[in-house]
Amino acid sequence: VLCCFLAQCHGFGPSLSVLPPMVLGNLLGKNNPSNQGEPTLPRDVKDAVSKCRESVQSALSDRLSRMEVELPVGASFGVEQSSQSKKQDVGADGVSLEVLQQSNRELCRIFVDMFGPVGGGEYLLGVHGGISDRLSRMEVELPVGASFGVEKSSQSKKQTEGGVDGVSLEVLQQSNRELCRIFVDMFGPVGGENICSVFMEESMADVARKKWKGDSSAYCQIASLNKSKQKKNKAKKKNMGFAAKLNSELGSATGSSSGKFALPANCEVALFVAPGPRELPLIESLCADVGMGTLVIILNARREQMDATTQTMLLEFTPVFHLAAAPQDAAPNCLVYHAYPNPTWLLARKPKVGQPKVIGSSDVRFDRDDVTDLFEKMDVGDVEVAVEGVLN
């Protein structure tokens, strides 16, 4: 249902490229270093593009409606993959006409990506709205196992056992990586060294490192909350009290001297990928440690695994975008949608033919009872019933 909805309404597919601008200067109470002191020359083309985005953001903040941008003639911005010869023989400034045209296309493409949220990508607009309102704790939820077209994979689309909601574990993990990768791209201008993508298991972090290696648009720090126990201690474990056991569980993640996981000191954006009930206490502790000056985003939290008490730990996080299936045993073929800053949550049913139809709304997140009640009171038209009867 959700994959069909996404394909029809949001245009997710293999050609997805999301690189909107995002600059955190003066965003969460921090000063923007680019506006202080002497300007610094960009280190390379990547850094030049990053500084260009910052300048455009500043110009937009100052409500400038006429801008001029100039970058090196014939520079390669790494957007297009080309097998053309690098021999420079004719054209402007010693650059061949072919290379010059490609460079201009790539520069234009960067700006199309930069302003992408103006024309679509509602989940990006939700995040931008949260940034504008200086939210430093956000939650984003997108369909489980959805393909965002970021990774090229030859894996079989067959859904095997071991996953969630009929989605194989392999597909689920790839979907989570792709979602995280989109947000790394989104916050690229902050600087990859200031972005930390935190996966729940070391094996998942390792795959991300391998998949993203050498890709400048995916540059960030990659960590995991739960290190795999490669060195098994066969000695008998000492008896520990409850507090000691809890500290041992929460502190088994990193290589800090105390053994407790800690975000990098320079981290401005922390992305936690698909945390479950086991990880939430540690994330809550990390948020207290880093304070409100660090933006923390939770991507696709495993809410279905959490009891009501555990879910209260997520109350600190503002849901900036939510598009997920409603409990299918309570409301078959229904989905829930919410996009910040609009406070409304929508429950919609996807018929066999046509667009999803809203069957209820609320100013707060739906619970199971709300979904069940709205579904039971849903009015399905005679034509729709007849069409679905024929399709069945």
Side-chain angles (χ1 to χ4, degrees), residues 98-109:
E98 185 178 8
V99 171
L100 178 63
Q101 291 175 345
Q102 176 176 329
S103 178
N104 289 336
R105 285 196 308 271
E106 290 184 336
L107 179 57
C108 183
R109 168 70 180 276

Side-chain angles (χ1 to χ4, degrees), residues 171-368:
V171 172
L172 178 64
Q173 291 178 349
Q174 176 175 328
S175 177
N176 288 336
R177 277 197 313 274
E178 291 186 334
L179 179 58
C180 183
R181 167 71 178 280
I182 288 173
F183 275 76
V184 171
D185 282 342
M186 186 187 301
F187 289 95
V190 174
E193 66 278 3
N194 300 317
I195 304 171
C196 188
S197 297
V198 186
F199 293 85
M200 299 307 102
E201 301 292 340
E202 181 64 17
S203 60
M204 300 176 190
D206 280 340
V207 174
R209 292 186 187 103
K210 294 175 182 177
K211 292 280 187 181
W212 301 353
K213 184 178 180 180
D215 188 339
S216 59
S217 66
Y219 173 56
C220 66
Q221 300 195 58
I222 300 175
S224 64
L225 285 183
N226 303 308
K227 291 283 187 182
S228 58
K229 298 179 181 178
Q230 298 176 349
K231 297 180 180 179
K232 296 183 179 180
N233 185 4
K234 295 183 179 180
K236 292 184 178 180
K237 294 183 178 180
K238 296 180 180 180
N239 292 328
M240 294 187 295
F242 174 77
K245 289 182 179 179
L246 180 61
N247 287 334
S248 176
E249 284 293 319
L250 297 182
S252 63
T254 66
S256 62
S257 59
S258 64
K260 181 181 177 181
F261 179 89
L263 290 169
N266 59 337
C267 180
E268 293 187 37
V269 181
L271 305 171
F272 289 92
V273 186
R278 177 186 175 187
E279 291 81 22
L280 279 187
L282 178 53
I283 295 175
E284 185 179 45
S285 175
L286 289 169
C287 287
D289 290 342
V290 300
M292 302 306 284
T294 298
L295 174 59
V296 180
I297 301 179
I298 289 182
L299 303 173
N300 278 8
R302 309 308 302 148
R303 281 180 170 268
E304 76 282 352
Q305 300 175 1
M306 303 175 190
D307 57 26
T309 302
T310 306
Q311 289 193 29
T312 58
M313 297 182 186
L314 289 171
L315 293 178
E316 181 183 1
F317 292 81
T318 300
V320 294
F321 191 84
H322 180 102
L323 178 62
Q328 293 300 287
D329 56 341
N333 299 320
C334 289
L335 56 88
V336 178
Y337 173 76
H338 168 73
Y340 185 90
N342 193 316
T344 305
W345 291 72
L346 300 178
L347 177 66
R349 176 178 178 269
K350 177 66 175 72
K352 293 186 180 297
V353 178
Q355 300 292 323
K357 297 182 179 180
V358 175
I359 62 175
S361 62
S362 173
D363 288 337
V364 296
R365 185 190 293 266
F366 295 107
D367 59 24
R368 175 177 288 273

Side-chain angles (χ1 to χ4, degrees), residues 13 18 37-38 42-43 52 84 87-88 104 111-112 126 132 144 173 229 250 263 285 288 299 356 381 386:
V18 183
E38 292 295 324
R43 299 183 300 272
C52 175
Q84 68 186 21
K87 183 179 179 180
Q88 311 298 323
N104 289 336
F111 274 77
V112 170
S132 297
V144 172
Q173 291 178 349
K229 298 179 181 178
L250 297 182
L263 290 169
S285 175
L299 303 173

